[in-house]
Amino acid sequence: MSSVHSDPNQSDPIDHFDRLPDSLLLLIFNKIGDVKALGRCCVVSRRFHSLVPQVENVVVRVDCVISDDDCSSSSSSSDKSRALIGPFSNLFRLVFGGIAKPFQALGQFLGPNRSVLSETLDSLSSSSLSIAPSGGGGVDDGEMDQSGVTHHSPTQVLRNFNEIRFLRIELPSGELGIDDGVLLKWRADFGSTLDNCVIIGAASVINNSNSQLSEFGNDGLCIYNGSNVGEDNGSIPETFYSSGGLKLRVVWTISSLIAASARHYLLQGIIADHKTLDSLVLTDSDGQGVLCMNKDQLEELRVKPLLASSASKRTLVPALNMRLWYAPYLELPDGVVLNGATLVAIRPSEQSASKNEVSDSSWLSNAFEEPFGTAAKMLVKRRTYCLEMNSF
């Protein structure tokens, strides 16, 4: 049904949408959130164009990953690519390029055989990100690539939003390439540096409803007919060390920390430009990693600039205390089974032990969506193993 109709006593048609107050339209725009859709709304009318910059809840979805090889066919196109993609242009290169030195430092520990995970990281080291939002919203300084698509960085896309309070940026995929069936998820909270990080992983995830399923995970442990070979007494079995399970967890931990610190580094410009922010989340469509900053943490970064790593363009990771929980076999209430389930809780060493103990229960249980939140609760009841890591 059209909102516009002719009145015989008036020369101009009546638009009933004009009768809606600005507050109601802003409520609708905040429910929309998506920056592309809001851009389209901007071109509908002058009124919409004036209201969209007042939206408080904005979601920016990064469209694609572009290989540097595709952007360097000529010097001019290479320069153009660097200009158009902006501060997110080197995300994958920063993450995976910066991981080389920690891997080298662990060379003696990891041994000569590199995991599939680390090989995948290197293969993605020459990739970069690009956003191609639809027109509207006054963003007109993007650059056009050879295919005719105009790209913008998140900073450019958000430039004309004046009152953002809740910002969510979603990457097209997680940075860490892992084998099919392997579980790896992380969540990190940052201020001017890392406040905490929690990682959950498993060598394989299986559905226990198939009682005949027999599977060997990456830890060399066998699941058969819903039970683990060998007795689980709450301790880490010797096979965890001899079969490469510990090496894999070290790679997971370092990779997740570098991915998180690279994401954090790239948010500086956005945080500086939008002082009204109360919450900022940088995640990915795979749900692999989530970086979160609340209002106090955002203000901390504005007041106390981050320390950058000398190795690459990412935030320096401070010296860390880590606690690890491991279960060769973990069956969740919904029937999902995690083979080689691992939980790692990470905090800077300078934080007091009392803060660690008090906050662990709520922090770890709320870090992940179900069923992995339940898995975290079950894992922390097992024996705890403490580790330390130097700043890098």
Side-chain angles (χ1 to χ4, degrees):
M1 179 180 294
S2 174
S3 63
V4 180
H5 70 274
S6 297
D7 188 324
N9 298 322
Q10 296 182 356
S11 58
D12 296 328
I14 298 174
D15 187 347
H16 292 293
F17 221 93
D18 289 338
R19 298 183 177 182
L20 297 178
D22 288 351
S23 58
L24 182 55
L25 289 180
L26 283 172
L27 179 63
I28 295 172
F29 289 151
N30 277 299
K31 293 292 184 181
I32 293 173
D34 180 71
V35 73
K36 293 184 182 180
L38 292 173
R40 298 186 187 103
C41 291
C42 275
V43 300
V44 171
S45 67
R46 291 179 182 177
R47 186 186 182 200
F48 281 18
H49 190 275
S50 66
L51 289 175
V52 166
Q54 302 176 42
V55 169
E56 298 179 342
N57 182 48
V58 177
V59 179
V60 178
R61 292 182 175 88
V62 176
D63 291 285
C64 60
V65 179
I66 301 176
S67 171
D68 284 350
D69 293 337
D70 297 335
C71 299
S72 59
S73 57
S74 66
S75 59
S76 60
S77 63
S78 178
D79 293 340
K80 183 183 295 183
S81 174
R82 286 192 292 269
L84 64 90
I85 300 177
F88 273 68
S89 61
N90 295 318
L91 178 60
F92 279 79
R93 178 165 53 252
L94 295 179
V95 172
F96 302 120
I99 207 170
K101 288 190 177 180
F103 273 138
Q104 292 169 1
L106 288 166
Q108 294 294 326
F109 178 70
L110 295 176
N113 296 323
R114 302 176 63 195
S115 68
V116 175
L117 174 60
S118 60
E119 292 172 356
T120 305
L121 297 179
D122 288 342
S123 70
L124 291 175
S125 63
S126 61
S127 297
S128 55
L129 290 178
S130 175
I131 304 176
S134 60
V139 181
D140 56 3
D141 54 353
E143 297 287 342
M144 184 174 295
D145 65 13
Q146 294 177 344
S147 64
V149 178
T150 301
H151 299 268
H152 303 282
S153 71
T155 302
Q156 292 171 327
V157 171
L158 297 170
R159 184 169 298 162
N160 290 329
F161 289 89
N162 305 319
E163 300 182 25
I164 301 176
R165 294 182 57 201
F166 307 99
L167 175 60
R168 178 183 178 91
I169 301 175
E170 184 176 296
L171 305 179
S173 62
E175 299 94 326
L176 310 181
I178 55 177
D179 292 337
D180 292 340
V182 174
L183 170 69
L184 178 59
K185 292 179 177 291
W186 59 266
R187 175 189 164 120
D189 284 48
F190 277 81
S192 60
T193 187
L194 178 70
D195 277 353
N196 61 69
C197 181
V198 58
I199 302 166
I200 191 166
S204 63
V205 181
I206 61 177
N207 192 331
N208 202 32
S209 61
N210 183 355
S211 61
Q212 299 302 313
L213 179 61
S214 177
E215 178 173 329
F216 284 88
N218 290 345
D219 295 328
L221 300 172
C222 178
I223 304 295
Y224 181 72
N225 288 339
S227 61
N228 181 243
V229 175
E231 182 180 355
D232 180 11
N233 57 9
S235 301
I236 294 180
E238 288 298 323
T239 53
F240 181 73
Y241 305 99
S242 61
S243 64
L246 179 58
K247 296 179 183 179
L248 182 61
R249 271 60 180 188
V250 171
V251 172
W252 286 353
T253 301
I254 294 178
S255 303
S256 299
L257 288 170
I258 291 180
S261 62
R263 291 188 186 187
H264 180 250
Y265 183 89
L266 294 169
L267 293 172
Q268 295 177 88
I270 293 174
I271 295 171
D273 290 345
H274 299 276
K275 294 181 171 56
T276 57
L277 277 173
D278 288 341
S279 172
L280 193 158
V281 175
L282 178 52
T283 184
D284 56 80
S285 60
D286 294 337
Q288 185 181 91
V290 181
L291 182 150
C292 299
M293 299 182 72
N294 61 31
K295 185 174 183 177
D296 292 338
Q297 292 166 332
L298 290 162
E299 185 59 29
E300 178 186 322
L301 180 59
R302 297 187 187 102
V303 174
K304 181 181 178 182
L306 60 81
L307 295 177
S309 168
S310 60
S312 61
K313 293 183 179 179
R314 60 175 178 82
T315 302
L316 183 71
V317 177
L320 303 171
N321 286 332
M322 302 186 294
R323 280 175 294 166
L324 182 148
W325 296 269
Y326 176 82
Y329 173 88
L330 190 69
E331 183 172 1
L332 305 181
D334 63 356
V336 173
V337 173
L338 305 183
N339 183 23
T342 308
L343 182 70
V344 183
I346 304 169
R347 286 191 183 277
S349 300
E350 64 183 18
Q351 292 188 4
S352 66
S354 60
K355 181 176 181 180
N356 289 349
E357 295 300 328
V358 170
S359 60
D360 271 350
S361 177
S362 59
W363 167 43
L364 295 175
S365 61
N366 296 327
F368 304 105
E369 296 181 353
E370 295 300 333
F372 305 114
T374 297
K377 293 177 184 178
M378 296 171 67
L379 284 166
V380 295
K381 297 177 181 179
R382 301 175 64 86
R383 183 171 298 181
T384 303
Y385 294 82
C386 298
L387 305 90
E388 295 182 351
M389 181 177 292
N390 293 330
S391 175
F392 63 91

